[in-house]
Structures are given as C-alpha cells and as structure tokens.
Amino acid sequence: MRVLVTGGAGFVGGNLAESLAREGHDVTVLDNLDPYYDTGIKERAVEAATAAAESGGGAYEFVEGDVRNAALVEDLVGDAEIVYHQAAQAGVRTSVDDPQKPNEINVGGTLNLLDAARDADIERIVLASSSSVYGKPEYLPYDESHPTTPVSPYGVSKLAADQYARVYHEVYGLATVSLRYFTVYGPRMRPNMAISNFVSRCLNGRPPVVYGDGSQTRDFTYVDDVVDVNRALLRDGSADGEILNVGSADTIAIRTLAELVRDELAPGLEIEYAESREADAEHTHADVGKAAELLGYEPSTDVREGVRKFVDWYRSNREWYEPLVLDAYSNN
C-alpha cells in the first residue's frame, strides 16, 4: 500500500515507518526534523527505514517539511492510501513553557491533514493521541469514557486533535481512528525519558534520579506493541470512527522502575530523589478492552521484559545514544 507517515522520523513514527517499509509497502515520511531532541536520532530512523525498504522490496521517501504547511500536506495526502499521523510537538513540560507551539502543530497540523483527506481517496487516517488527555483520574484504569480534563497544554492539544478526528468521521464520513498511547518506550526513544535516564546513570555508576517520591505510577507500553496495533489498521476498518487506548494494561511505580533498572545494572547504588515536575500526571493505567475487542489487541511485552530489551539495545548503541541522554539531562 501507499502509506504516508507524518512525524515518520520520530520515535513511534520511525519505528512504524521502518516496519511498514520492511513489509514491502511504499512509505513516504513527512518530518520537519525539529530539534526538540537531537536530530541525530531521527537521522538514524531514516537510515533504518531506508535499509528496511531495500530489504523488503518496497519504496521509502523522506520529505523534510511541516504539517503546518497545508499545501505540502495536501500534495502528500493525495498520493497516499492510508495516513498515520504521528507528527506532534511532544512534551508536557515544554507545553507549559510555550503553549502556542503544541496548539499550532498538534491542532492546526491535524486540521490540515483532515481537510486534505476530505478531498482525497484515503482509506483511513490513524492519529496518535495520548493518555495525557485524561488528566487526573476519577477511577483507574482509564477507559475511553473516562472524563477528559487534561492538566497541561499538551494534553489539551492532543484532546482537540482526537476530537476533531471523531467529528470529521461523523460529519464528513472520513475513516479515522485515534490511538491514545500510554508512555511508549523502546529503541530510539527520546533521550530525556525516565527509562533512558535510569539506564544511562546506572551503566555509569551513578544513582538513578526519581522526580517526586516515586509513588507515581505509569502504564509503560513497549514500542513494538504500538507498531503492531497501527499495522493492524492498514486494512481493518472495524475501528473506524473510534478512539482507542493503547497501553500495556499494567502499571509500575516510578520508584520500582528505578529499582528494577538499578538491580539489573548496578545493584549497589542508592536511589536519589529530586523535586517533582510541574504538570506530570500522578498515575496512568490503560483499559485496553476496546482495542482488544475491535482489533484483537493484546500487548505482548511487560515492562520488565521491555526494560531488558531496551538495555540490550542501549548497550549496542551506547556510543552514539548515551551522549544524547547525558546532554538531555544536563539541561534539566
């Protein structure tokens, strides 16, 4: 199939584009290479997807551009059969400092894509949403009917985007699916995430740093599971018009996660604690029953196995990846 992946040099988008190219699909990636984190990671994602296309018999094209460019988006959407909209300005804390940028990209860019798709022969648009739309839990696990009261501008922007997708399905008949991701991690993840920080520090004999008291819990989702549920939507229309949680259906306290990494890599270290960070959610936990019912989604990697996989990848890529992690945390 002819597939467009916006944000296809990013973490989830890059892994998805690589997987689709390896399967022989013709993949076009649109990414602006925003230096929100080191663009070297994105360049490696492009290299990996290019190699995957060569081995899989498909085609791969990288287009440097921005989803805020409506004319460019219209051209690219017009050539695609299915669109995976992964492009976004990520970062809860970043959005607190500058709420305008996530609104321009996450809301305005999404509207550009949806408008372009109204006039194109598109089978489906799959949007990356976020667990940040839920905000403070009234109950756990979150199901898709849980109240949406985000606690950051980032969460507001992602909620607006997935609601626009729903409305475009209902009003214009556009086939859309929004996937609310829960804390995705794995190879080529952003270097300023907790797991990459814990692994880097422990491998260098330094104690992992937990922000807050560590009682916060997260539903960590391994990137391969996220890629698999996206791939299921290539031809499966049973979820059209729906909003679905994509998580691991399990949780772990941040303190326990730090201990897990520490015990794996440097058992003698003590955990350090620092002041909690503004707008971070206290708890996340996904009810994935709807995705299981409609798509047969079943997360295959729990956080303990996923951490081991990430540690193995980190060791193999330590020479280029670790300096990025150290730099990301030296600026925080």
Side-chain angles (χ1 to χ4, degrees):
M1 297 183 72
R2 298 188 310 278
V3 182
L4 172 64
V5 185
T6 71
F11 170 40
V12 175
N15 278 280
L16 176 59
E18 180 182 354
S19 175
L20 294 171
R22 184 177 296 110
E23 290 182 348
H25 299 287
D26 293 341
V27 179
T28 299
V29 158
L30 172 65
D31 201 293
N32 67 356
L33 300 181
D34 189 299
Y36 171 62
Y37 59 89
D38 193 281
T39 58
I41 300 178
K42 296 184 177 185
E43 291 164 0
R44 288 177 182 269
V46 172
E47 292 171 1
T50 300
E54 291 172 354
S55 65
Y60 177 85
E61 179 185 6
F62 173 76
V63 177
E64 185 172 354
D66 199 301
V67 291
R68 290 171 289 185
N69 183 336
L72 175 60
V73 168
E74 184 176 4
D75 286 344
L76 295 177
V77 169
D79 290 334
E81 295 174 276
I82 185 166
V83 178
Y84 289 100
H85 183 37
Q86 305 293 314
Q89 173 59 59
V92 168
R93 291 182 293 275
T94 300
S95 76
V96 172
D97 296 333
D98 179 10
Q100 289 286 351
K101 189 175 180 181
N103 186 72
E104 293 167 2
I105 297 172
N106 302 351
V107 183
T110 298
L111 279 171
N112 284 341
L113 194 78
L114 293 171
D115 278 337
R118 287 172 58 193
D119 300 321
D121 187 19
I122 292 293
E123 291 194 15
R124 186 166 301 104
I125 297 182
V126 183
L127 290 91
S129 187
S130 168
S131 62
S132 295
V133 304
Y134 293 116
K136 295 181 180 179
E138 295 189 8
Y139 57 85
L140 289 171
Y142 294 116
D143 57 29
E144 292 83 356
S145 298
H146 186 282
T148 47
T149 52
V151 296
S152 69
Y154 169 76
V156 171
S157 72
K158 297 301 281 187
L159 177 60
D162 74 28
Q163 292 302 304
Y164 269 123
R166 177 186 60 79
V167 167
Y168 269 59
H169 173 76
E170 295 178 359
V171 175
Y172 305 113
L174 191 62
T176 65
V177 183
S178 292
L179 302 178
R180 289 176 175 168
Y181 298 158
F182 282 68
T183 316
V184 188
Y185 70 102
R188 296 199 303 266
M189 68 191 292
R190 294 203 325 257
N192 62 342
M193 303 294 283
I195 292 177
S196 52
N197 180 35
F198 294 163
V199 171
S200 173
R201 292 182 68 89
C202 288
L203 283 173
N204 286 283
R206 302 169 64 192
V209 176
V210 171
Y211 294 94
D213 63 7
S215 62
Q216 314 95 304
T217 58
R218 292 287 182 274
D219 189 329
F220 285 99
T221 314
Y222 195 66
V223 67
D224 288 357
D225 287 328
V226 175
V227 168
D228 285 346
V229 74
N230 275 281
R231 286 169 52 232
L233 290 164
L234 268 172
R235 296 183 175 87
D236 190 333
S238 59
D240 286 351
E242 299 289 349
I243 296 171
L244 307 176
N245 288 338
V246 177
S248 72
D250 195 8
T251 63
I252 188 170
I254 299 299
R255 178 176 56 245
T256 305
L257 175 65
E259 292 169 348
L260 174 67
V261 174
R262 186 268 317 272
D263 293 347
E264 179 85 12
L265 299 176
L269 296 175
E270 296 291 333
I271 307 295
E272 288 187 1
Y273 295 88
E275 185 177 350
S276 60
R277 294 181 161 184
E278 190 176 16
D280 276 349
E282 286 295 313
H283 305 286
T284 66
H285 186 193
D287 180 336
V288 298
K290 189 175 178 181
E293 178 183 355
L294 293 177
L295 299 174
Y297 173 65
E298 185 176 353
S300 61
T301 305
D302 67 27
V303 69
R304 288 158 183 80
E305 179 186 358
V307 164
R308 286 192 291 271
K309 287 183 177 181
F310 178 70
V311 168
D312 289 343
W313 177 87
Y314 190 108
R315 289 185 190 275
S316 297
N317 294 273
R318 187 174 181 179
E319 182 177 353
W320 68 267
Y321 184 70
E322 184 168 83
L324 307 183
V325 179
L326 297 176
D327 181 64
Y329 275 88
S330 68
N331 293 324
N332 282 273

